[in-house]
Amino acid sequence: MGVKMPKKSKPQRPSRDEFELEELGNAVVEAHREKTEVLILLWQRDPIQGKIVKLDGQSQLIHIESNYETIKVKFIDILSIQSAPQ
């Protein structure tokens, strides 16, 4: 008989309620509209500082322009968004 090893569970994104997601969504939309420089903390990725240049509702991707390149991140991977330090 083989011994069953417990499945390695991959880390789960922190769960957030609707209120937190709505607040985050509002912050993303405002940063996009105001074209402000923001610091975005991401799940299991390095933080990105830049400007949100496109919100893609179809793919749920946020396009961030940082150091002359566009980085696409999933909305669900954004942990927090704040004004970038000047």
Side-chain angles (χ1 to χ4, degrees):
M1 284 187 289
V3 178
K4 270 195 162 180
M5 295 298 289
K7 280 186 183 173
K8 283 209 167 113
S9 62
K10 63 180 191 179
Q12 295 291 314
R13 285 184 187 93
S15 63
R16 294 172 292 189
D17 62 28
E18 284 180 38
F19 178 75
E20 289 172 293
L21 289 172
E22 189 176 329
E23 290 279 290
L24 187 61
N26 290 342
V28 167
V29 168
E30 187 176 328
H32 177 245
R33 192 177 57 229
E34 304 287 327
K35 296 181 177 22
T36 49
E37 186 92 359
V38 290
L39 177 64
I40 299 174
L41 299 181
L42 297 165
W43 185 69
Q44 294 194 327
R45 281 180 66 179
D46 290 334
I48 298 174
Q49 184 170 325
K51 290 183 181 171
I52 297 174
V53 292
K54 184 179 177 194
L55 303 175
D56 189 336
Q58 290 280 301
S59 64
Q60 299 281 301
L61 288 175
I62 312 295
H63 298 224
I64 304 152
E65 196 173 88
S66 176
N67 298 331
Y68 307 106
E69 66 172 325
T70 301
I71 302 161
K72 298 174 187 174
V73 298
K74 291 180 183 164
F75 173 74
I76 199 74
D77 284 345
I78 297 175
L79 299 178
S80 74
I81 181 169
Q82 59 201 51
S83 297
Q86 296 302 321

